[in-house]
Amino acid sequence: MDERILKWLYDIKLCIEEIDSFFQKEEKDFFKYRNNLMLKRAVERNLEIIGEAINRIITRDNSFTEKISNAKAIIGLRNQVIHAYDNISDENIWSILTNHLPKLKGEVDALIKENEK
């Protein structure tokens, strides 16, 4: 695997781990999330980085669109967070955190592990 792609996969992994760390001491609670501006901005920033890393990966090797579920949608979220920040839905971000991020974590871990072989 290309070293840059591997680096970007590790960036994604670190961002997911950082998001997970925000909820280590407490269970995930949407209402606490919605009312904590600093937490929301930290999560959004990590999602931006994830989207940018995936964009760089598929620009370098388009086959990763098949290896990373919803790659285009993740990039689209990044663009929305950056360019349409005033239309960000807390519910949408929360759904991504609870439903989609765990799957992405598994896929990225598998891709990194595959490279170690």
Side-chain angles (χ1 to χ4, degrees):
M1 180 183 302
D2 182 304
E3 286 183 22
R4 289 183 202 156
I5 291 176
L6 185 59
K7 187 257 187 228
W8 294 323
L9 288 170
Y10 274 106
D11 289 344
I12 295 166
K13 179 180 175 68
L14 289 172
C15 285
I16 294 171
E17 288 173 353
E18 186 169 302
I19 290 170
D20 287 344
S21 77
F22 299 152
F23 301 98
Q24 267 184 341
K25 296 182 181 178
E26 300 178 10
E27 67 179 88
K28 289 183 180 175
D29 180 294
F30 171 72
F31 297 104
K32 287 181 182 177
Y33 167 79
R34 187 175 66 179
N35 293 320
N36 186 333
L37 183 60
M38 188 167 57
L39 175 60
K40 287 181 359 178
R41 295 300 180 256
V43 167
E44 290 168 5
R45 175 63 180 146
N46 277 288
L47 293 175
E48 286 176 17
I49 294 168
I50 290 169
E52 181 62 21
I54 290 176
N55 187 46
R56 291 178 183 189
I57 289 169
I58 66 167
T59 298
R60 191 156 188 89
D61 184 344
N62 196 42
S63 72
F64 278 84
T65 57
E66 297 170 12
K67 299 174 185 178
I68 299 173
S69 300
N70 302 309
K72 299 279 187 182
I74 295 168
I75 295 166
L77 173 70
R78 173 242 181 236
N79 293 337
Q80 182 185 15
V81 170
I82 292 173
H83 301 294
Y85 60 88
D86 52 344
N87 285 330
I88 301 279
S89 159
D90 292 337
E91 292 82 4
N92 187 36
I93 299 295
W94 188 255
S95 174
I96 290 163
L97 291 181
T98 57
N99 298 318
H100 302 288
L101 217 52
K103 182 175 184 177
L104 179 61
K105 182 178 184 178
E107 291 174 346
V108 168
D109 286 344
L111 288 167
I112 291 170
K113 190 172 187 174
E114 180 181 301
N115 184 68
E116 294 172 353
K117 292 180 181 177

